[in-house]
């Protein structure tokens, strides 16, 4: 039985320890912080039958960046996955990307996890593969905040400000479909299982 920590990005109403309350907002008002919590709970439900799955937050509260990582550090977690959604001023931008700490390369554990997460998420959304990125020093992925054995990455599932799979829908509309959300959550869970 592995220990898995799922981090629902953002939360609450104020910035806490470097974590903003909410970054992306869809055109009709859907908030990134609400989607991340919804998806984290779905992934937790799927994996809890087989593993010890912990969450950095269970409700609409914000948790500092280091505190999120320390949930995984204190548990000596095997996997840490932070779930996010992107937003951009240009509403035509769409795609999926997974972030790792700068300099993370194959065959490192975190890169192996990120590769599986990226492939599974792109397969579930059908959106453009924006690849694995290592340009940003994100505190939740900082090796100093984790034990050495923890594979860690952050997935940006889609741009909630962008188009859906067809021109007739938006990503926001698509994310209101329970079956679609389950498909993505199952893909994330399967990627983690494949890594383990």
């Amino acid at each position: 039985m592995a220990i898995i920590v799922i981090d629902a990005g953002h939360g609450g109403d104020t910035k806490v320890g470097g974590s903003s309350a909410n970054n992306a907002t869809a055109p009709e008002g859907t908030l990134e912080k609400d989607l991340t919590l919804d998806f984290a709970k779905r992934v937790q439900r799927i994996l809890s039958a087989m593993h010890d799955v912990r969450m950095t937050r269970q409700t609409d509260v914000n948790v500092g960046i280091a505190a999120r990582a320390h949930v995984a550090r204190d548990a000596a977690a095997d996997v840490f996955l932070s779930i996010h959604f992107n937003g951009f001023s240009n509403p035509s931008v769409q795609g999926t990307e997974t972030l790792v700490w700068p300099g993370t390369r194959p065959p490192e554990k975190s890169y192996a996890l990120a590769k599986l997460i990226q492939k599974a998420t792109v397969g579930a959304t059908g959106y453009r593969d924006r690849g694995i990125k290592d340009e940003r020093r994100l505190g939740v992925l900082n090796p100093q905040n984790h034990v050495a054995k923890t594979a860690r990455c952050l997935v940006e599932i889609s741009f909630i400000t962008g188009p859906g799979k067809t021109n007739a829908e938006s990503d926001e509309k698509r994310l209101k479909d329970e079956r679609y959300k389950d498909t993505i959550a199952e893909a994330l869970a399967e990627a983690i299982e494949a890594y383990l």
Side-chain angles (χ1 to χ4, degrees):
M1 179 182 287
I3 299 174
I4 300 163
V5 173
I6 307 295
D7 174 42
H10 310 290
D13 298 314
T14 57
K15 187 172 184 175
V16 176
S19 174
S20 59
N22 186 72
N23 271 359
T25 302
E28 294 178 22
T30 301
L31 302 176
E32 177 186 7
K33 67 172 186 169
D34 296 332
L35 289 170
T36 62
L37 185 58
D38 180 1
F39 277 84
K41 287 180 176 179
R42 288 171 193 263
V43 175
Q44 179 191 36
R45 276 195 300 272
I46 296 165
L47 291 172
S48 287
M50 302 162 283
H51 302 287
D52 179 355
V53 184
R54 305 177 189 193
M55 304 266 284
T56 58
R57 67 181 181 100
Q58 291 274 9
T59 60
D60 185 22
V61 296
N62 202 355
V63 179
I65 296 293
R68 292 171 187 267
H70 290 173
V71 172
R73 183 195 66 187
D74 296 347
D78 298 285
V79 169
F80 175 88
L81 174 65
S82 188
I83 297 175
H84 289 256
F85 286 82
N86 255 323
F88 197 62
S89 56
N90 181 344
S92 68
V93 173
Q94 189 52 275
T96 298
E97 59 191 34
T98 302
L99 287 69
V100 293
W101 185 254
T104 303
R105 297 284 183 270
E108 292 179 61
K109 296 182 294 291
S110 293
Y111 195 92
L113 174 64
K115 188 174 179 182
L116 289 163
I117 291 288
Q118 178 69 11
K119 182 179 179 183
T121 309
V122 167
T125 64
Y127 290 146
R128 184 165 77 89
D129 185 342
R130 292 171 57 93
I132 297 170
K133 315 269 183 166
D134 74 338
E135 299 101 20
R136 295 172 59 196
R137 297 172 68 85
L138 300 171
V140 291
L141 302 180
N142 188 333
Q144 294 181 345
N145 291 329
H146 292 272
V147 297
K149 77 172 197 171
T150 305
R152 57 204 185 279
C153 66
L154 183 153
V155 63
E156 296 272 10
I157 292 173
S158 62
F159 283 76
I160 60 173
T161 50
K165 195 76 171 92
T166 69
N167 291 331
E169 66 181 355
S170 65
D171 188 53
E172 181 176 27
K173 180 179 177 184
R174 205 172 178 212
L175 286 165
K176 290 179 181 173
D177 182 324
E178 295 298 316
R179 285 174 299 176
Y180 176 59
K181 290 194 282 189
D182 282 341
T183 297
I184 295 171
E186 286 161 10
L188 292 172
E190 286 168 12
I192 291 170
E193 195 63 66
Y195 166 78
L196 292 170

